[in-house]
Amino acid sequence: MSSNPACRIRLIAPSGYPHDRDAMTRGIARLRDAGCLVEGTEVIDRTELRYAGSDTQRAADINGLATLDTLPDIALSIRGGYGATRLLEHLHYDALRERLADQPIALVGHSDFTAVQMALYAMSGIVTFGGPMLGPDFGAHRLSPLTWRHFWRTLSAPQGNASWDCGEAAELSVEGPLWGGNLAMLCSLLQTPYFPRIEGGILFVEDIGEPPFRIERLLYQLHLSGVLGRQRALILADFTQCRPAPYDNGYDLADGFEQIRRIAGIPVLSGMPFGHDPDKFTLPFGVPARLRVVGQRASLDFHGYPHLRRGHEPSMA
């Protein structure tokens, strides 16, 4: 590896322990092959019950960023699962705000990491990223070219774009803060200090393994709490392995989504690659964005997020 690495990546493990160690090893190797310096690899060796270490250890992965003399370019979550919610009362929000504000460091993850993203934004105003993680994404048997390229292109520039076929024919142009993540995690923090009150936003959601009726119920929770009504648009991203049961009598995700379209009172788009499928965009949480739809093609532009000052995009390993 070059003495001048493409970037310094520090691993963090706020949630579950690595149940697939081979994926972690592949992810580290791919990042190193791309010229990155990967630090903090000891977190993949921690296990306590279903977690990647104790609450204290996992909170220290994040709190420790406030005490580093030299910040990494990227703090990368190794995987999701469950456990981040247990850390929210133990994060040093004032110290993190003081150290990380206006610094070019990207905290990246998705799924359970949504809880950390919401809390850091609500309590400290820190912008993080929904995006790939070490094991599930960079360590996959087949690394998604879209995921890899969009990750580096987003983090290597002061503004980014995501475009996809959305299937909606109506033209649309709205602006507002971009935010979102895992639907169950979003709803779990409603009416807590860790749920940011974002007005006029562009909200994106995803989930995995929930039956369609539960997805509809979670979206109804956002609707009945007034969250949906305060947004400019809702983007339904990937809902992976969300299958109906025989009792559903044919009711599926499409039926649930159609019901939400009827009652939300805001534009509802679909098809954005983000979530638990291999292809996913890297999306900053809480930054100004513009969403446009022309001819069933959606385009999301965003800016104002931390990015790598070197602007280097490593080759796909």
Side-chain angles (χ1 to χ4, degrees):
M1 186 177 64
S2 168
S3 59
N4 183 25
C7 72
R8 289 177 57 233
I9 299 176
R10 187 175 187 87
L11 302 180
I12 59 175
S15 304
Y17 71 89
H19 63 300
D20 186 345
R21 294 296 298 270
D22 289 342
M24 299 292 162
T25 301
R26 281 193 299 270
I28 291 170
R30 280 190 177 125
L31 292 169
R32 286 176 171 166
D33 287 346
C36 299
L37 175 64
V38 182
E39 303 171 328
T41 57
E42 65 273 6
V43 303
I44 70 174
D45 296 320
R46 298 188 323 222
T47 304
E48 182 170 305
L49 299 175
R50 61 176 293 116
Y51 310 110
S54 67
D55 293 354
T56 299
Q57 288 175 312
R58 291 180 292 112
D61 290 350
I62 300 170
N63 289 331
L65 297 172
T67 62
L68 293 176
D69 292 332
T70 303
L71 289 171
D73 297 300
I74 299 168
L76 182 67
S77 183
I78 64 168
R79 63 152 300 178
Y82 170 69
T85 304
R86 296 171 60 146
L87 310 184
L88 302 188
E89 295 179 300
H90 306 291
L91 297 183
H92 300 164
Y93 296 103
D94 291 342
L96 288 165
R97 179 194 304 110
E98 183 176 346
R99 182 67 179 96
L100 303 186
D102 302 320
Q103 294 297 311
I105 176 174
L107 280 70
V108 189
H110 69 276
S111 190
D112 196 54
F113 189 68
T114 301
V116 174
Q117 295 186 267
M118 295 177 69
L120 288 177
Y121 189 80
M123 304 295 287
S124 302
I126 294 172
V127 171
T128 59
F129 294 82
M133 297 188 287
L134 177 68
D137 301 295
F138 295 133
H141 284 287
R142 177 188 175 275
L143 176 60
S144 162
L146 181 150
T147 297
W148 178 265
R149 291 167 184 158
H150 197 266
F151 176 79
W152 290 112
R153 288 174 185 174
T154 298
L155 296 190
S156 300
Q159 62 279 320
N161 171 267
S163 300
W164 70 97
D165 292 325
C166 63
E168 280 77 21
E171 293 194 2
L172 175 69
S173 180
V174 297
E175 297 183 17
L178 178 64
W179 69 297
N182 182 262
L183 178 59
M185 295 310 304
L186 287 166
C187 290
S188 74
L189 294 180
L190 278 167
Q191 302 300 314
T192 74
Y194 310 110
F195 193 99
R197 186 175 178 88
I198 295 179
E199 307 284 345
I202 299 169
L203 172 63
F204 60 93
V205 293
E206 60 84 21
D207 220 315
I208 182 172
E210 297 282 2
F213 80 90
R214 290 185 183 172
I215 297 297
E216 180 183 316
R217 185 168 64 192
L218 289 166
L219 290 168
Y220 251 103
Q221 191 173 0
L222 292 178
H223 167 62
L224 295 174
S225 65
V227 172
L228 284 188
R230 294 196 296 267
Q231 308 311 308
R232 301 293 304 277
L234 171 66
I235 301 174
L236 301 169
D238 291 326
F239 286 81
T240 307
Q241 300 172 15
C242 295
R243 304 184 183 96
Y247 181 83
D248 291 315
N249 274 334
Y251 166 90
D252 59 13
L253 274 177
D255 295 301
F257 290 159
E258 183 57 34
Q259 174 66 7
I260 296 304
R261 284 185 167 91
R262 283 193 288 265
I263 57 98
I266 60 174
V268 179
L269 278 65
S270 60
M272 185 176 77
F274 181 83
H276 288 77
D277 287 348
D279 291 344
K280 61 178 57 64
F281 293 139
T282 297
L283 304 171
F285 187 112
V287 303
R290 182 182 182 189
L291 174 64
R292 290 172 290 179
V293 177
V294 178
Q296 300 187 12
R297 184 75 178 171
S299 181
L300 188 60
D301 298 296
F302 40 84
H303 63 92
Y305 55 83
H307 59 280
L308 307 182
R309 287 177 177 163
R310 280 169 283 186
H312 182 72
E313 182 181 330
S315 299
M316 186 170 172

